Each structure stands twice: as C-alpha cells, then as structure tokens.
Amino acid sequence: MIEISNLSKNYGQVQALNSASFSVRKGEVVGLLGPNGAGKTTLMKIMTGFLGPDSGNAVIDGHNIVKESLLVQEVIGYLPENAPLYPELSVQSYLKMIADLRRIPKSNQPVLLSRAIRNIGLENHLTRPISHLSKGYRQRVGLASAILHQPRVLILDEPTAGLDPTQIIGVRSLIRKLSEHSTILLSTHILSEVEAVCDRVVILLNGEVKADAKLDELDSHTEIVLLLENQSQNVSDELKSVKGVASVSSSNSPDGIEYRVSPVNNQDLRSAISSLVQKHKWSLLELRRDVRTLETVFNELVSSTKNSAQPESGTPS
C-alpha cells in the first residue's frame, strides 16, 4: 500500500531526509519512530502532497505522489500533529464541511458521517463548538475528519501528543479499531506508543531509515550477561566451551568485567554457566538473560549515530 523509495529533502543547509526507503503492506499498522527532528513530519508531508521531495519517490495505493498527488489525497486520511480545526464551528458543521470538501455525494454523506461519528465516539458532542472541547475530543474530531471518506491508507502524525493518560488510552483503542479497515502509518517519538498499537516499526534517525522490523522479531534474540568482579584467566574460552554458545564478547564495566554470551537458538544457558562459575570459583556479581527489546534497539541506534538528535531549526521535523 505504501512504497517509499530514496526520498530526500533539504531545507537550505539542513538535510531533513536522506534517501529514506521502506514499504507498508496492506492491513499493517507501522510505527515511524524517531526523536524530534528526525524527519518524520517532513516525510509525512511529502507522502500527503504538502511538500515535494528533492529526489526519490513514493507510491501510495498504486499512485505516484509526485505525478498523481490528487489521486493520492483521495485514498488517504491524514491527521497532522495539530489538526487544522475551525474552533467556531460545531462538531457536526465541521464534519459536514469536510464531507463537502471531499466531494462526497450528498446521498452518501449521512451514512459516512454517522459511521465516522459512531466509530470515534462523538455522538454526544455534535452540537458543541470545537473550541469548547477538550484536547482529547478535538483530537477525535480530527480523526473523524481523517476517516470520513473511508480511506484505504491512514497517516497519523503524533496522534497522542499532549493528551493525558486517559485520553491516550482512548486514542490507542481507536487506532486499533481503525486498523480493521485501513493501512496505518503512525509517527511518534514515544516507544510505548509503538509497542501499544503497531505491528512493525521503522526507526528514522537524522533523516535516514536505520531499522525496519516486526516488533516480535526484536524479542527473538537474547543474550546471557555474566558480570564478574575481577578479571579471571580464560573466562571467554571457558564460556565458549559450553554447549550451545554461539559467541562471547567482553567489556569493562564500573563494577567489573561484563561477558555477553550469545546462545544458539536462544537457549537459556544460565544453569550451565552457573555451574561453570562454581567450578572455577569466579567472583560472580550478576548472571541474567538480556532480552533485546525495542528500547534496546532504539538506544543502540541513537548511541551509534553521530548527531542523531540534530534539530531542524526553523523547519518542520
């Protein structure tokens, strides 16, 4: 449904996107994760036709974003971080205006309006001016306008930004419900947001795609961490001799020497390593399994990327 190919975009001397590429299959909920200034909003504005790329291309539902931008806008729903609402209008009047702007036939509007209002939970707020709504409900109005025409692709930029915990839970529940009918790309800088609603994550740093994986794949690799108080001879060789050990690495830590043991097929080798520790009477401080999580992957990428948090001063992010 979404194919991003080598997209690049500069704002003067600032490179917001650098040959970004990834794809999203039909029915997926993909999280676009990155710190503020990583290029997420710039990418989404290009995908929705608000900006043109300097190079590269994107295809959404078979339509080229450069050559067929109007066709792309017909098949997508877009909720920017700050939804462009008209505060003086009532919820009902605003959604009716969006239906007219979308050129939805008058005969179809009652059904589509009713469906969007019901799915988003706005039934009891239709006559209220948007200015009188809480931020959570204003976000719901933005979502309702984005799904009104039943888009095949839904693009959400920081959909829970500024919401309180209760509102965040509500919006996450809505996103999961909407994923039953739409392919969703969700931009965020919050790890828990991706873990709560997404099937897959694309990590963007300094305008470059640094990782692209299913969430369950991130938990597929575990290591055994062995922390010894003092340096002992031949520890690495002894660990490598344990059946099921694929590799061993070591590094200094503030408390001693840390050994990381990668097992074959994610076996739990703690019992075997514990027996080895007792046999050689090593001074043990810690022995544990270390599961590779989204947070682990993200922190590793950030720490290994120079200037990963470079802001796009004065430009969209």
Side-chain angles (χ1 to χ4, degrees):
M1 291 297 288
I2 300 174
E3 188 71 38
I4 306 299
S5 304
N6 300 310
L7 278 183
S8 294
K9 180 67 178 179
N10 295 335
Y11 298 106
Q13 299 300 313
V14 177
Q15 187 165 37
L17 288 177
N18 183 15
S19 298
S21 298
F22 65 91
S23 62
V24 181
R25 292 184 292 275
K26 183 178 180 180
E28 280 191 307
V29 181
V30 174
L32 185 62
L33 178 65
N36 291 328
K40 305 185 300 297
T41 296
T42 294
L43 175 60
M44 289 189 160
K45 286 187 174 182
I46 291 174
M47 292 174 60
T48 54
F50 285 88
L51 288 175
D54 292 337
S55 61
N57 196 16
V59 175
I60 298 179
D61 195 22
H63 302 300
N64 186 299
I65 62 164
V66 175
K67 298 178 181 179
E68 303 172 288
S69 60
L70 289 178
L71 291 176
V72 169
Q73 291 171 354
E74 288 181 2
V75 300
I76 65 172
Y78 176 42
L79 178 66
E81 182 175 353
N82 297 305
L85 305 176
Y86 289 82
E88 68 277 10
L89 293 181
S90 68
V91 172
Q92 183 170 310
S93 297
Y94 174 76
L95 294 178
K96 178 65 170 62
M97 180 189 71
I98 295 298
D100 291 337
L101 291 173
R102 280 281 182 186
R103 293 183 293 182
I104 296 174
K106 300 289 185 181
S107 58
N108 295 342
Q109 287 188 15
V111 172
L112 294 179
L113 284 165
S114 176
R115 183 176 298 163
I117 289 165
R118 185 174 61 253
N119 285 340
I120 302 300
L122 290 170
E123 300 97 321
N124 298 325
H125 301 273
L126 295 179
T127 60
R128 296 185 64 187
I130 292 173
S131 61
H132 292 183
L133 298 177
S134 67
K135 182 164 185 179
Y137 272 99
R138 290 199 298 272
Q139 200 78 334
R140 286 173 180 255
V141 174
L143 269 172
S145 67
I147 69 167
L148 184 58
H149 57 301
Q150 296 184 298
R152 294 168 58 81
V153 176
L154 191 56
I155 299 175
L156 309 175
D157 191 359
E158 303 283 0
T160 61
L163 303 185
D164 63 37
T166 301
Q167 294 168 336
I168 288 173
I169 293 171
V171 170
R172 287 177 178 174
S173 177
L174 286 173
I175 291 170
R176 285 191 290 269
K177 185 175 182 179
L178 294 172
S179 69
E180 297 173 3
H181 307 287
S182 299
T183 299
I184 298 178
L185 181 65
L186 181 154
S187 163
T188 184
H189 63 279
I190 303 172
L191 293 167
S192 59
E193 194 77 13
V194 173
E195 293 173 324
V197 299
C198 298
D199 307 312
R200 214 174 93 228
V201 61
V202 173
I203 297 178
L204 196 67
L205 294 174
N206 291 345
E208 298 180 3
V209 174
K210 295 295 185 179
D212 182 350
K214 291 184 177 179
L215 293 184
D216 54 8
E217 291 175 352
L218 296 176
D219 292 335
S220 64
H221 178 68
T222 60
E223 292 181 328
I224 309 298
V225 177
L226 175 69
L227 183 61
L228 302 181
E229 185 175 9
N230 302 311
Q231 178 73 55
S232 300
Q233 291 184 344
N234 303 322
V235 172
S236 293
D237 292 337
E238 292 289 344
L239 290 171
K240 290 176 183 177
S241 69
V242 175
K243 184 178 180 180
V245 170
S247 64
V248 178
S249 63
S250 63
S251 61
N252 294 321
S253 79
D255 298 319
I257 309 298
E258 180 180 279
Y259 296 88
R260 302 188 74 88
V261 181
S262 294
V264 176
N265 297 325
N266 293 322
Q267 299 177 61
D268 188 352
L269 301 177
R270 286 175 296 178
S271 179
I273 293 175
S274 177
S275 297
L276 197 65
V277 170
Q278 295 177 42
K279 175 182 176 181
H280 293 285
K281 298 182 179 179
W282 292 333
S283 182
L284 178 66
L285 295 177
E286 185 178 7
L287 177 61
R288 60 181 171 85
R289 291 187 83 191
D290 192 11
V291 180
R292 189 177 175 84
T293 64
L294 176 58
E295 182 177 7
T296 306
V297 174
F298 185 74
N299 288 335
E300 286 175 356
L301 289 171
V302 170
S303 63
S304 64
T305 303
K306 293 181 179 180
N307 303 318
S308 61
Q310 180 181 347
E312 297 174 14
S313 178
T315 66
S317 61

